[in-house]
Amino acid sequence: MDIKTTDKTYVVGTYNRYGVAIVSGSGSRCVDDSGKEYIDLGSGIGVNSLGYCDSGWIGAVTAQLNALQHASNLYYTQPCAALAKTLCQRSGYLKAMFGNSGAEANEAAIKTARKYSFDKYGRGRDVIVTLRNSFHGRTMATLTATGQDVFHNYFFPFNDGFKYADKNIDEIAAIDGVCAVMVEFVQGEGGVIPTDKEFIAQLKQLCDERDILLIADEVQTGIGRTGKLLASEHYGILPDITTLAKGLGAGLPIGAMLVGEKCADTLTFGTHGTTFGGNPVVCAGALEVLGRLDDAALKEVERKGKYIVSKLQGCSGVDGVDGLGMMLGIRLKNKAASDVLKDCIQEGVLVLTAKDKIRLLPPLTISDKDLQEGIDRLISAIAK
Ligand SMILES: *Cc1c(COP(=O)(O)O)cnc(C)c1O
């Protein structure tokens, strides 16, 4: 049996995979099982932030593998402590907690918000408000938090204590019993839709006035994706909690919750935990990512994002480009995103979709040459 048939036979069918089996990669390029090469402008949904098989990252990860692969959270390990310190020093947060995915980071944030409110106000102030069209994960709580009706199916009963609002401050202000509001600065899965600055400023003020925790889900927008370490920097605020995942591990599974002054000590011994979270190998890889994302590298992300937008604007079949940095959504004029994606695969470029847009999340380190060639192939696919 070939890879595809074996997968289709034995892996639970929750994924509608594209017809490509990737076997290896280097930089921004990967190769499938027939030997065909692709330029990857999706980077494994923003995970391969340093591209495929980056040598610095492999060096960091393998050095740690050769020293210690796991110790459990019963013990201290250097990479976990160092990663927490670096994340805090770079972001302005006070403490970090690690898990293995975006959904887990959001679960930790939800638990922190509920306990923060319980500790201070007792029971009954437990509502988490999320925005319509948001995406926060696939566990029961984060699926409930996801503000899209299509996800609220089959798995009844969904969790209590979640309410949805538009990006409308009056609608949010009218909801009772709220302990936290969770937002994405750019809705990713929802269609690459940036949230406007005035709404975020109003929301921050409302949250501060009412002692409601503001949770930023930066699972997709974080770690340089938008040209800043955190997208919140574009908005000039430090939310009470930020969650991270995708690009942080550069390919190894990690989620992180960063907590500020209000809730740095909310989760206490025994109230939360994970077996794998903070794994030393994964943390060593994430430290390499942060080490590489200095100010110059972040400026490069911004520059390359602008380059993509300028190249695509006015192209045949392109209606416009939305997003921030290298998190971009292309509005199409007369072709379905799924058809463009198929033609991209033929042209030798991998892209993503988000709702009716083509979504680009290129490796942050993509070379100008690969980026130019990748976008050229994409433009051909759109025009096809
Ligand atoms: C991908 C994503 C998640 C879920 O992350 P997983 O690692 O798949 O659990 C949550 N929030 C946002 C904004 C995401 O983009």
Side-chain angles (χ1 to χ4, degrees):
M1 265 196 245
D2 68 3
I3 299 169
K4 288 166 209 168
T5 316
T6 310
D7 185 293
K8 282 203 160 116
T9 308
Y10 291 109
V11 176
V12 172
T14 59
Y15 305 107
N16 187 14
R17 302 194 204 277
Y18 310 133
V20 179
I22 299 176
V23 293
S24 65
S26 173
S28 302
R29 293 175 185 248
C30 62
V31 177
D32 74 12
D33 59 345
S34 75
K36 180 172 172 176
E37 190 185 72
Y38 303 84
I39 295 173
D40 188 355
L41 301 182
S43 61
I45 321 189
V47 166
N48 294 332
S49 46
L50 304 179
Y52 290 100
C53 299
D54 174 85
S55 60
W57 178 81
I58 286 183
V61 166
T62 51
Q64 183 56 46
L65 259 178
N66 282 305
L68 175 80
Q69 86 277 25
H70 173 83
S72 92
N73 281 308
L74 300 173
Y75 306 96
Y76 297 102
T77 65
Q78 190 274 339
C80 174
L83 180 61
K85 180 180 174 187
T86 304
L87 277 170
C88 288
Q89 288 182 336
R90 292 280 298 269
S91 64
Y93 283 99
L94 298 182
K95 285 186 179 175
M97 170 146 196
F98 298 113
N100 312 286
S101 66
E104 273 178 84
N106 287 339
E107 289 272 352
I110 291 164
K111 286 181 72 173
T112 300
R114 291 251 172 90
K115 184 165 182 298
Y116 173 82
S117 194
F118 178 89
D119 288 347
K120 244 174 130 169
Y121 304 100
R123 289 200 61 172
R125 189 180 178 277
D126 49 29
V127 172
I128 314 273
V129 175
T130 62
L131 298 181
R132 296 204 177 89
N133 200 47
S134 59
F135 182 83
H136 297 297
R138 300 283 197 162
T139 62
M140 282 309 299
T142 59
L143 199 57
T144 311
T146 292
Q148 301 186 52
D149 290 341
V150 286
F151 287 101
H152 300 161
N153 214 335
Y154 317 119
F155 311 112
F156 303 101
F158 287 88
N159 294 10
D160 283 341
F162 289 87
K163 294 220 163 114
Y164 314 100
D166 288 333
K167 293 170 184 171
N168 176 326
I169 203 68
D170 297 328
E171 189 181 350
I172 295 172
I175 301 171
D176 283 334
V178 179
C179 66
V181 180
M182 180 148 72
V183 297
E184 295 158 272
F185 291 111
V186 182
Q187 289 181 338
E189 305 306 309
V192 195
I193 301 169
T195 303
D196 71 63
K197 289 192 174 159
E198 197 188 314
F199 168 72
I200 292 293
Q202 290 171 336
L203 183 61
K204 170 84 174 115
Q205 194 185 349
L206 178 79
C207 287
D208 285 348
E209 278 167 16
R210 298 193 182 175
D211 197 17
I212 291 168
L213 296 186
L214 180 58
I215 304 169
D217 178 346
E218 293 225 38
V219 167
Q220 193 159 156
T221 56
I223 310 300
R225 177 50 56 191
T226 68
K228 305 272 188 200
L229 188 70
L230 300 180
S232 56
E233 294 168 48
H234 292 286
Y235 292 79
I237 62 162
L238 190 71
D240 299 297
I241 302 175
T242 284
T243 58
L244 300 167
K246 292 190 167 81
L248 177 58
L252 288 174
I254 185 169
M257 171 183 70
L258 304 179
V259 282
E261 216 168 334
K262 273 193 177 177
C263 50
D265 298 315
T266 296
L267 292 183
T268 49
F269 171 66
T271 58
H272 196 40
T274 145
T275 302
F276 290 111
N279 171 277
V281 176
V282 180
C283 288
L287 271 164
E288 171 70 15
V289 173
L290 291 174
R292 297 277 285 281
L293 288 182
D294 58 9
D295 285 346
L298 292 170
K299 285 230 164 62
E300 280 291 279
V301 173
E302 196 188 328
R303 181 185 65 77
K304 287 183 266 190
K306 284 188 177 143
Y307 166 81
I308 298 172
V309 174
S310 72
K311 261 204 98 158
L312 285 166
Q313 250 158 11
C315 277
S316 159
V318 173
D319 195 27
V321 185
D322 306 314
L324 265 181
M326 281 212 284
M327 177 172 181
L328 296 168
I330 305 162
R331 275 175 275 126
L332 301 163
K333 270 188 188 147
N334 35 37
K335 202 167 163 184
S338 55
D339 291 333
V340 170
L341 186 141
K342 279 184 208 135
D343 287 336
C344 278
I345 290 173
Q346 273 200 337
E347 292 287 321
V349 60
L350 302 180
V351 299
L352 304 162
T353 62
K355 295 281 167 74
D356 52 357
K357 293 178 190 171
I358 288 293
R359 176 172 39 151
L360 304 182
L361 301 169
L364 303 179
T365 51
I366 190 169
S367 69
D368 285 352
K369 180 177 170 289
D370 284 355
L371 188 56
Q372 189 181 346
E373 202 170 323
I375 297 295
D376 284 340
R377 292 179 191 181
L378 166 61
I379 289 169
S380 305
I382 293 172
K384 244 184 179 175

